[in-house]
Amino acid sequence: MRDTRSGIPWIGDVPEDWLWERGRRHLRYRKILNPDGASENVLSLTHRGVINNNPDNPEGLVPGDCRTYQVFNKDDLVFKLIDLENVKTSRVGLVHQNGIMSSAYI
């Protein structure tokens, strides 16, 4: 019998019939930059999930030039593993539409 404890108090036990596999077996990482500036739909990963961000009135930090941003497609998972200003802000989100986000995200 397998140990079903998640080790995370708020999650509790994991159903016994669930498979335990590393995410990297099912996910692939790709980084496509926006060097020609073709996409101008700026998205941001926040505590509320992925949101549309207005570069003229941005929420959070945005660069002056989005050609260094990378392209994300609808239904991509996006991970922000660290924030140099606040390490407690690491998060994950589901992209709701095609757009561009920081090249620091994976």
Side-chain angles (χ1 to χ4, degrees):
M1 186 166 161
R2 190 184 77 211
D3 183 6
T4 60
R5 294 173 295 180
S6 70
I8 304 169
W10 61 269
I11 291 179
D13 290 348
V14 176
E16 217 172 296
D17 60 328
W18 284 14
L19 296 176
W20 291 71
E21 295 182 330
R22 293 189 178 273
R24 67 179 166 200
R25 292 188 60 180
H26 303 280
L27 303 172
R28 73 176 189 280
Y29 172 63
R30 63 166 169 66
K31 186 177 227 176
I32 301 169
L33 296 179
N34 187 42
D36 58 0
S39 180
E40 296 179 357
N41 185 26
V42 178
L43 305 172
S44 293
L45 180 57
T46 71
H47 287 292
R48 300 182 317 275
V50 177
I51 63 164
N52 293 77
N53 205 342
N54 179 351
D56 297 325
N57 186 21
E59 180 175 326
L61 303 173
V62 293
D65 183 357
C66 291
R67 291 179 295 175
T68 62
Y69 268 27
Q70 63 181 315
V71 175
F72 283 86
N73 295 313
K74 183 180 185 313
D75 296 328
D76 281 348
L77 283 175
V78 57
F79 297 86
K80 180 182 183 186
L81 301 178
I82 63 166
D83 182 330
L84 297 177
E85 293 180 26
N86 182 357
V87 295
K88 295 179 181 179
T89 62
S90 299
R91 59 192 77 118
V92 63
L94 180 65
V95 179
H96 64 283
Q97 62 184 211
N98 295 350
I100 54 175
M101 285 189 267
S102 170
S103 57
Y105 297 166
I106 61 170

